[in-house]
Amino acid sequence: MTTILECQIIDIKKIVRKKIDVNIDHYASSFLERRVQNRMNMIGIKSYAEYISFLDEDFLESFELNSTLSINVTQFFRNQTVWDVFKQKIIPEIISLSSSDHPISIWSAGCAIGNEPYSLAMMFSDMLQTNEKKFKIVANDINPTSIGIAKTGQYEFEKLKNIPNSFLSKFLEKIDDDLYKFSDDLKKTITFQVGDVASFNINHVDVILCRNMLIYYADDAKELLFKKFHKTLNDSGFLVLGMAEDVPLSMKKFFKTVDLGMKIYQKVSLDP
Ligand SMILES: C[S@@+](CC[C@H](N)C(=O)[O-])C[C@H]1O[C@@H](n2cnc3c(N)ncnc32)[C@H](O)[C@@H]1O
């Protein structure tokens, strides 16, 4: 297949915005191109021009394209080593830095179907059980279906394999042989919301996890997001990215590297 033209990418972004009022401007062109090619193969369309006409005429195609863009692959305790470092190095520091008057505040940005915020909730709940401190987690995703699943707190047994046995018995209840649900007490620690990370209304956060979402982002949109993360974090707050992600060059001086391999950074209190 030939390479898509930049003007065709612009047309596709405009049509999706016009048809379903969703902004897909932030996606990198190469990623958008691959997703458009997938849709064209599925529908049996051979040229980008033909696909753009189809997108403009068929109302449902904008929904279809948008849902292939928001890839929601996830796991509990995804990349186990990151969680080990987070538990041993980062949580103790967050606990010592946080003020006693406020709960520790955590943002899981782009949380998909909730595995990351539930992993966080189990870990913080376990570590704070002998401590006076409380925590709260806000978790958002642009995809309403994913947030709907996250809110149920119900997962198939085979999806729970990364959760340690001690956590399974402590935080989950069996519904039947195949289905488990998180306890109401654990669910209460998380607020799930549908929303775009870029415009999400949140402040005074001690740690942000934004993992495996930015790989699909264009560089200029990425820079804006890191400015938002910087503003949202409390002084010395932590930022955790996905294993294939990094702080953009233009924002490096505003985030100190805490663990390069694990993609853990800490806010530097300078104004970007
Ligand atoms: C690959 S999943 C990663 C989930 C989780 N963070 C993890 O690492 O396992 C990426 C998620 O980001 C969401 N997403 C993509 N763009 C977004 C945006 N602008 N605002 C909020 N969520 C977004 C997608 O819907 C998808 O659920």
Side-chain angles (χ1 to χ4, degrees):
M1 206 173 279
T2 52
T3 309
I4 196 166
L5 302 171
E6 202 48 44
C7 61
Q8 291 175 315
I9 293 274
I10 292 169
D11 284 348
I12 289 170
K13 289 176 172 175
K14 272 193 199 151
I15 295 169
V16 172
R17 193 196 281 255
K18 180 180 78 182
K19 294 273 178 186
I20 61 169
D21 197 23
V22 171
N23 180 357
I24 60 166
D25 288 354
H26 49 270
Y27 288 115
S29 299
S30 53
F31 173 65
L32 196 55
E33 179 177 7
R34 286 196 301 277
R35 297 288 133 190
V36 166
Q37 284 172 359
N38 286 352
R39 287 300 303 151
M40 286 166 62
N41 289 337
M42 284 178 80
I43 310 163
I45 286 180
K46 297 266 176 298
S47 76
Y48 294 117
E50 202 190 327
Y51 179 75
I52 290 168
S53 303
F54 179 68
L55 186 67
D56 204 16
E57 281 154 21
D58 187 300
F59 183 69
L60 287 180
E61 182 55 24
S62 289
F63 284 105
E64 295 293 348
L65 177 62
N66 187 42
S67 64
T68 66
L69 291 171
S70 95
I71 298 170
N72 65 3
V73 177
T74 188
Q75 274 174 1
F76 291 104
F77 297 105
R78 185 176 192 175
N79 306 117
Q80 184 61 52
T81 330
V82 177
W83 291 90
D84 293 342
V85 172
F86 194 65
K87 181 179 171 184
Q88 280 149 22
K89 280 211 320 212
I90 310 302
I91 300 186
E93 207 174 326
I94 295 170
I95 294 173
S96 75
L97 284 172
S98 66
S99 92
S100 51
D101 318 339
H102 301 288
I104 294 167
S105 170
I106 306 144
W107 179 19
S108 171
C111 70
I113 57 168
N115 304 48
E116 181 178 277
Y118 283 113
S119 304
L120 284 163
M122 288 186 276
M123 196 169 255
F124 271 92
S125 187
D126 188 59
M127 289 190 76
L128 292 177
Q129 63 186 344
T130 53
N131 196 302
E132 292 289 283
K133 290 227 162 95
K134 302 260 176 288
F135 70 95
K136 61 172 188 175
I137 300 169
V138 174
N140 77 300
D141 200 281
I142 204 160
N143 185 328
T145 311
S146 297
I147 290 295
I149 296 170
K151 278 183 176 170
T152 68
Q154 296 186 7
Y155 297 88
E156 287 162 22
F157 180 63
E158 59 158 33
K159 299 280 159 51
L160 307 177
K161 55 180 180 290
N162 287 353
I163 301 182
N165 281 338
S166 58
F167 284 5
L168 270 183
S169 51
K170 194 165 166 190
F171 299 116
L172 283 120
E173 295 159 18
K174 187 171 175 174
I175 298 179
D176 60 39
D177 281 351
D178 294 328
L179 197 62
Y180 279 65
K181 68 169 183 168
F182 281 102
S183 68
D184 288 342
D185 278 349
L186 197 82
K187 280 170 82 177
K188 271 187 223 148
T189 63
I190 312 173
T191 307
F192 286 105
Q193 288 183 44
V194 177
D196 188 333
V197 169
S199 53
F200 199 63
N201 188 9
I202 185 162
N203 277 305
H204 305 301
V205 166
D206 296 304
V207 54
I208 300 174
L209 281 88
C210 184
R211 304 174 67 215
N212 307 301
M213 186 195 103
L214 296 163
I215 18 175
Y216 312 116
Y217 266 60
D219 286 345
D220 49 350
K222 241 185 249 177
E223 184 174 325
L224 285 178
L225 272 192
F226 278 83
K227 283 190 177 153
K228 181 185 177 81
F229 292 155
H230 192 270
K231 192 161 162 252
T232 305
L233 281 171
N234 288 332
D235 287 348
S236 304
F238 291 93
L239 173 66
V240 186
L241 304 178
M243 301 301 269
E245 294 161 340
D246 204 352
V247 176
L249 208 54
S250 59
M251 291 299 292
K252 289 239 189 238
K253 67 174 176 234
F254 305 107
F255 292 94
K256 180 178 103 181
T257 304
V258 175
D259 191 314
L260 186 60
M262 298 301 118
K263 307 292 176 169
I264 302 173
Y265 305 86
Q266 191 169 24
K267 172 172 168 168
V268 174
S269 297
L270 291 172
D271 284 339

